[in-house]
Amino acid sequence: MSKEFVDTIIYASIVVDPNNETTPARYKHAIIIDEGLLIDVLPYEETMQLYQAAEEIYLDHHAVMPGLINAHGHAAMSLLRGYADDYELDTWLNEHIWPAENAHVSASFVSLGTELAAAEMIKTGTTTFSDMYFFPEAAAEVVDRVGLRAQFATTIFDFPCAWGSGPDDYLEKTLRFTSTYANHPRVTVALGPHAPYTVNDENFAKVVAVAQEHELPIHVHLSETQKEVDDSIAQHGMSPVVRLHKLGAIKANSQLVHMTALSEEDMALVAESGASVIHCPKSNLKLASGLCPTQALLNHGVNVAIGTDGAASNNALDQFSELQYAAMIAKVQHSDPTAISALTSLKMATIGGARALGIDHIVGDFTKGKHADLCTVRIDAIELQPLHNIISQLVYTQSGQKVTDVWVKGHRLLNDTKLTTIDEDALAAKVAKFKTQMSTN
Amino acid sequence: MSKEFVDTIIYASIVVDPNNETTPARYKHAIIIDEGLLIDVLPYEETMQLYQAAEEIYLDHHAVMPGLINAHGHAAMSLLRGYADDYELDTWLNEHIWPAENAHVSASFVSLGTELAAAEMIKTGTTTFSDMYFFPEAAAEVVDRVGLRAQFATTIFDFPCAWGSGPDDYLEKTLRFTSTYANHPRVTVALGPHAPYTVNDENFAKVVAVAQEHELPIHVHLSETQKEVDDSIAQHGMSPVVRLHKLGAIKANSQLVHMTALSEEDMALVAESGASVIHCPKSNLKLASGLCPTQALLNHGVNVAIGTDGAASNNALDQFSELQYAAMIAKVQHSDPTAISALTSLKMATIGGARALGIDHIVGDFTKGKHADLCTVRIDAIELQPLHNIISQLVYTQSGQKVTDVWVKGHRLLNDTKLTTIDEDALAAKVAKFKTQMSTN
């Protein structure tokens, strides 16, 4: 019998596919990749009988799983990691983060910061990220070059910023950006009205109209703190969720970020709409924002994804660490040690993220025909032994630091812990130069 | 001028000493070690003028800091990591952990499990740990051999266990163990009455009498859950803290572990006593136990240390991860982003641990004359750049995975990520064999 010839076969100790209900962990299986697509996942013997490949890779001490999807962040803020920690939120924003952004944010800042974020995300197993920041053109150029997959939510405020003069300008720039990337295989675009308290009803209406006309999702910070909810009730007579729902901004493809202070009515509205919630546990903890009721939302049938938020409020973009926090804090929050199990947490950070970003027909699990976006984690470290349960160990230990290889659409972006599309030394030198400039300004 | 000759000089990019109020981070400083003691911390030039050493080590891309102190755990339970996760507490204990312990715990289980835990703790920067388990003789033999520092809290229940027939037997064995290790430079002993609900008043009285006579601290699980408190009030008419205080078990050298459900009266009693609290954030989260009010306790003047608890409820013994959780969750819990700052968290995991275990005259910071217990963390990884704030980055990123070197009492237990006193491959083989035996039993 003649064997089918494919691009790549990865023989792995364990193939973990969180969205595979019957067998999320399969031992001694191989992943078969051709033309960027996942052709099949088969036991070793069957693979050797059926396929041969230009590149056959043996990962004998590794778990291979779908690449992680970081569903919310501000990539370029990696340049501000640890710049201002342990402050009150107002002090943090008004005296530290916003002045630093005003002084430094530009297309070149975004380019450098996004490359820095990309390096960290690739090295810790993320294959797709959602970005919400200024100068998306500069960020997308980096993504195109380094090979990651990304959604860019273009920021929209009532007021001007370094990127533009106001809402009409932001929307115009968004449409231009959208048409530039219309046929890009790894880039999608969303509208990113910043938050209910920075975008008024009139401008939300414009955003909703553009979203509808151009079939763009809306990605928005929502109900991040109890104070935001209290202020909204005082000003608008309703919660931010109810207000945005009335404005038509909460639809099946909407992406609602943070969502810590929710009423039953809010949760029911979100569930009914089909919108996704994006949970950013470390940012919510570090800024004392509150806790998103993840298990309650899942019980309502809401899709929940996970994001790191920006490095300035984290300070890492290690999505494995983020999903560990998601599992850990849900248990105390819901007074239930079965809340957000290890497997659920992995699903939220893979297929949940894909659903939130509207790309679950392309990535998020190992369904045949999806794009080959995957990461591998070494499982032979002494601190993982005895390996009673691979799913538990992936979630409850520091797996992001054990990632060795990453593929996006069949391209290997990380090869045995080395970046293939980013010159790490040159990047470090540029970041060091930026830090020096920032310190002396 | 002739130079003084010492054993070791470590030239480091940054010396971090969290308990140094004026300069917790000093750049381009060296640590001078002789006969196991820390002689001085000086700038490079001064060091070169004053000292020469048999061994001069250049750590140009590293922060050097006091070794971490893991103030509560059950080391040998590393053999049960991930064995049973995401269950209700009763199911977890009654159907999984206790049956597994009954079937497997023996002196050889403890020896193997403690060596496994030691390997992980050394590799993630821990130099001292407190252990509370069965067969402390077997665990202490491992500690003596691998070079770590440890406190053994001998377990005392009302009922028999694999280690002994009951309280009198446990106390007798404890005293024998104490006299064996009376002059050991790295081992101390405490009495470990398991918990208020497993030790009755009569047996607590015996423990308190032995503690007083032999000047041993008491190390006890206390107020781990609201249920424990509610049950105590129903049965004894008072909280577990009040009960143990009345029984004389809460004194200046007492070590109170967990402490999630505390009244103002409880906190005032603990503060007045001078006892230390040991916070185990990941275990408390994972088992949905509750949250220790760490900042409130610090505000009361209570010393708070940090522990990983056993690997079965964590599943790691990475104390850097633990102190990150301590900083992160305190902020939401107290609705205050300034609660448990990065620096405070590092202090809790170093000098706080030393105070809790009664060894702060020996370790916990870089005071001249203390034992040379230290760890080093690589700080040149791309995901730490730009390094605006070393203290923030040590706490809010995955520093435990970047530890390269560890010294205890001047002996190098980890040399550029390689264990020097444990044969890691042989250990892994023994653990794999145990797992096979466990699976087939």
Side-chain angles (χ1 to χ4, degrees):
Chain A
M1 198 178 84
S2 79
K3 296 182 186 181
E4 189 175 340
F5 200 84
V6 296
D7 290 337
T8 306
I9 301 174
I10 302 168
Y11 290 92
S13 310
I14 315 182
V15 171
V16 173
D17 187 5
N19 200 35
N20 184 322
E21 296 293 334
T22 49
T23 48
R26 284 172 283 181
Y27 292 76
K28 292 192 181 296
H29 270 60
I31 293 184
I32 297 117
I33 299 171
D34 198 46
E35 297 192 349
L37 303 181
L38 189 131
I39 302 298
D40 213 339
V41 177
L42 290 172
Y44 279 12
E45 288 211 357
E46 222 173 314
T47 305
M48 289 184 268
Q49 284 163 7
L50 295 174
Y51 294 99
Q52 57 181 312
E55 183 180 42
E56 303 201 346
I57 298 162
Y58 298 86
L59 298 175
D60 297 334
H61 305 287
H62 304 68
V64 178
M65 56 174 281
L68 299 177
I69 295 176
N70 182 351
H72 178 72
H74 313 283
M77 291 185 85
S78 59
L79 288 172
L80 300 177
R81 74 170 86 244
Y83 178 71
D85 286 342
D86 302 328
Y87 289 107
E88 297 284 353
L89 183 63
D90 281 356
T91 314
W92 183 71
L93 281 174
N94 292 310
E95 295 179 28
H96 298 279
I97 296 301
W98 286 345
E101 287 188 337
N102 286 337
H104 299 287
V105 170
S106 64
S108 68
F109 174 99
V110 168
S111 179
L112 180 60
T114 304
E115 186 170 349
L116 177 61
E120 178 178 2
M121 287 193 281
I122 295 169
K123 292 181 87 170
T124 50
T126 289
T127 51
T128 299
F129 70 104
S130 177
D131 192 35
M132 184 190 209
Y133 209 57
F134 313 108
F135 302 98
E137 308 85 354
E141 185 279 324
V142 173
V143 162
D144 178 59
R145 174 161 51 84
V146 307
L148 277 170
R149 194 182 298 277
Q151 167 189 276
F152 294 95
T154 58
T155 305
I156 292 147
F157 297 115
D158 289 342
F159 39 84
C161 73
W163 183 51
S165 60
D168 294 332
D169 190 27
Y170 303 141
L171 288 171
E172 195 193 312
K173 283 182 163 135
T174 300
L175 292 180
R176 215 177 309 144
F177 178 64
T178 304
S179 75
T180 307
Y181 283 89
N183 297 310
H184 197 286
R186 292 180 279 103
V187 170
T188 57
V189 182
L191 289 159
H194 171 261
Y197 53 91
T198 50
V199 180
N200 63 28
D201 285 5
E202 186 192 338
N203 289 325
F204 257 115
K206 288 184 189 172
V207 169
V208 168
V210 172
Q212 194 139 340
E213 188 185 341
H214 298 272
E215 294 183 356
L216 294 172
I218 289 176
H219 181 98
V220 59
H221 296 116
L222 188 58
S223 283
E224 183 169 358
T225 62
Q226 186 61 48
K227 181 176 182 298
E228 177 188 331
V229 175
D230 295 344
D231 289 352
S232 176
I233 290 170
Q235 194 187 339
H236 301 283
M238 59 191 105
S239 78
V241 170
V242 172
R243 178 173 155 238
L244 261 61
H245 187 262
K246 277 192 200 294
L247 290 166
I250 299 186
K251 301 228 165 133
N253 62 351
S254 296
Q255 304 163 14
L256 314 176
V257 183
H258 295 312
M259 302 287 273
T260 74
L262 303 179
S263 68
E264 276 297 317
E265 185 193 3
D266 291 341
M267 288 198 273
L269 276 181
V270 172
E272 199 191 9
S273 74
S276 288
V277 166
I278 298 169
H279 172 42
C280 302
K282 290 173 85 172
S283 171
N284 293 163
L285 289 168
K286 188 149 174 273
L287 298 175
S289 305
L291 296 175
C292 173
T294 47
Q295 186 64 54
L297 286 164
L298 291 179
N299 295 349
H300 273 86
V302 175
N303 177 52
V304 182
I306 298 177
T308 57
D309 209 347
S313 61
N314 190 306
N315 303 348
L317 304 178
D318 176 343
Q319 179 78 342
F320 272 110
S321 171
E322 206 70 34
L323 69 89
Q324 181 186 101
Y325 271 84
M328 283 285 194
I329 65 173
K331 300 176 202 311
V332 150
Q333 181 189 0
H334 297 86
S335 299
D336 177 3
T338 71
I340 309 294
S341 70
L343 186 62
T344 299
S345 172
L346 283 178
K347 279 189 206 172
M348 286 160 69
T350 53
I351 189 68
R355 286 188 188 124
L357 305 186
I359 53 172
D360 52 312
H361 56 297
I362 301 179
V363 294
D365 63 22
F366 284 158
T367 302
K368 291 179 201 181
K370 285 197 179 182
H371 291 197
D373 285 22
L374 43 116
C375 70
T376 67
V377 179
R378 271 202 88 113
I379 54 172
D380 59 343
I382 193 75
E383 65 266 29
L384 296 183
Q385 310 316 313
L387 197 57
H388 289 299
N389 183 333
I390 179 64
I391 304 286
S392 279
Q393 292 314 97
L394 282 172
V395 172
Y396 295 121
T397 67
Q398 324 313 326
S399 296
Q401 304 296 309
K402 296 193 161 54
V403 168
T404 61
D405 295 82
V406 167
W407 283 261
V408 173
K409 209 166 176 300
H411 293 281
R412 197 174 191 171
L413 308 187
L414 191 71
N415 184 338
D416 195 13
T417 78
K418 302 281 179 287
L419 294 165
T420 63
T421 57
I422 295 174
D423 179 337
E424 196 170 327
D425 291 340
L427 173 60
K430 279 185 271 182
V431 172
K433 192 175 162 197
F434 165 79
K435 178 170 181 278
T436 308
Q437 285 167 345
M438 193 173 176
S439 308
T440 53
N441 269 2
Chain B
M1 198 176 82
S2 78
K3 296 183 187 182
E4 191 175 338
F5 201 85
V6 295
D7 290 337
T8 306
I9 301 175
I10 302 168
Y11 290 93
S13 309
I14 315 182
V15 171
V16 173
D17 187 5
N19 199 36
N20 184 324
E21 295 293 334
T22 50
T23 48
R26 285 173 282 182
Y27 290 77
K28 292 193 181 296
H29 270 60
I31 294 184
I32 298 117
I33 299 171
D34 197 46
E35 297 192 347
L37 302 182
L38 188 132
I39 302 297
D40 213 338
V41 178
L42 290 171
Y44 279 13
E45 289 212 356
E46 222 173 314
T47 305
M48 289 184 269
Q49 285 162 8
L50 295 174
Y51 294 98
Q52 58 182 311
E55 184 180 41
E56 302 199 348
I57 298 162
Y58 299 87
L59 297 175
D60 298 334
H61 305 286
H62 304 69
V64 179
M65 56 172 284
L68 298 176
I69 295 176
N70 182 352
H72 178 71
H74 313 284
M77 292 184 84
S78 59
L79 289 172
L80 301 176
R81 75 169 87 243
Y83 178 71
D85 286 343
D86 302 327
Y87 289 108
E88 297 285 353
L89 183 62
D90 281 355
T91 313
W92 183 70
L93 282 173
N94 292 311
E95 294 179 27
H96 299 278
I97 296 300
W98 287 345
E101 288 190 335
N102 285 337
H104 298 287
V105 170
S106 64
S108 68
F109 174 99
V110 168
S111 179
L112 179 61
T114 304
E115 186 169 348
L116 177 61
E120 179 178 1
M121 288 193 280
I122 295 169
K123 292 181 88 170
T124 50
T126 290
T127 51
T128 299
F129 70 103
S130 178
D131 191 36
M132 187 189 207
Y133 209 58
F134 313 107
F135 302 99
E137 307 85 353
E141 185 279 325
V142 173
V143 162
D144 177 60
R145 173 162 51 84
V146 306
L148 278 170
R149 195 182 297 279
Q151 167 189 279
F152 294 95
T154 57
T155 305
I156 293 147
F157 296 116
D158 289 342
F159 39 84
C161 73
W163 183 52
S165 60
D168 295 332
D169 190 28
Y170 302 139
L171 289 170
E172 195 192 310
K173 281 178 165 139
T174 301
L175 293 180
R176 215 179 307 146
F177 177 62
T178 304
S179 76
T180 307
Y181 282 89
N183 297 310
H184 196 286
R186 292 180 280 102
V187 170
T188 57
V189 181
L191 289 159
H194 171 263
Y197 53 89
T198 50
V199 179
N200 64 29
D201 285 6
E202 186 192 337
N203 288 326
F204 257 116
K206 286 184 190 173
V207 169
V208 168
V210 171
Q212 191 138 344
E213 187 186 340
H214 296 273
E215 294 181 356
L216 294 173
I218 289 175
H219 181 98
V220 60
H221 295 115
L222 188 59
S223 283
E224 184 169 357
T225 63
Q226 185 61 48
K227 181 175 182 297
E228 177 188 330
V229 175
D230 295 344
D231 289 352
S232 176
I233 289 169
Q235 192 186 342
H236 301 283
M238 59 190 106
S239 78
V241 170
V242 171
R243 179 173 154 238
L244 261 59
H245 187 262
K246 274 192 201 296
L247 291 167
I250 299 186
K251 301 229 164 132
N253 62 352
S254 297
Q255 304 162 15
L256 314 176
V257 183
H258 295 312
M259 301 288 273
T260 75
L262 302 179
S263 67
E264 277 296 318
E265 184 193 5
D266 290 341
M267 288 198 271
L269 276 181
V270 171
E272 197 190 12
S273 74
S276 289
V277 165
I278 299 168
H279 173 41
C280 301
K282 290 173 84 172
S283 170
N284 294 162
L285 289 167
K286 188 150 175 271
L287 298 175
S289 305
L291 295 175
C292 174
T294 47
Q295 187 63 56
L297 286 164
L298 291 179
N299 295 349
H300 272 86
V302 176
N303 177 54
V304 182
I306 297 176
T308 57
D309 209 346
S313 60
N314 189 308
N315 306 343
L317 304 177
D318 176 342
Q319 178 78 343
F320 272 109
S321 172
E322 206 71 35
L323 68 89
Q324 181 186 103
Y325 271 83
M328 284 285 193
I329 64 172
K331 301 177 202 311
V332 150
Q333 181 188 1
H334 297 87
S335 299
D336 177 3
T338 72
I340 309 294
S341 70
L343 186 62
T344 299
S345 172
L346 282 178
K347 280 190 206 173
M348 287 160 69
T350 52
I351 189 69
R355 284 188 190 124
L357 305 186
I359 54 173
D360 51 313
H361 57 297
I362 302 179
V363 295
D365 62 22
F366 284 159
T367 302
K368 292 180 200 180
K370 285 196 179 182
H371 291 196
D373 285 21
L374 42 116
C375 70
T376 69
V377 179
R378 272 203 88 114
I379 54 173
D380 59 344
I382 192 73
E383 67 265 31
L384 297 183
Q385 309 316 314
L387 196 57
H388 289 298
N389 183 334
I390 178 64
I391 304 286
S392 279
Q393 292 314 96
L394 282 172
V395 171
Y396 294 120
T397 66
Q398 326 312 331
S399 297
Q401 305 297 309
K402 297 193 160 54
V403 169
T404 62
D405 295 83
V406 166
W407 283 262
V408 172
K409 209 167 178 296
H411 293 282
R412 198 175 193 171
L413 308 188
L414 191 72
N415 184 339
D416 195 13
T417 77
K418 299 282 178 289
L419 294 165
T420 64
T421 58
I422 295 174
D423 179 337
E424 198 171 324
D425 291 340
L427 173 61
K430 278 186 274 183
V431 172
K433 191 175 162 196
F434 164 80
K435 178 170 179 278
T436 308
Q437 285 169 346
M438 195 172 173
S439 310
T440 52
N441 268 1

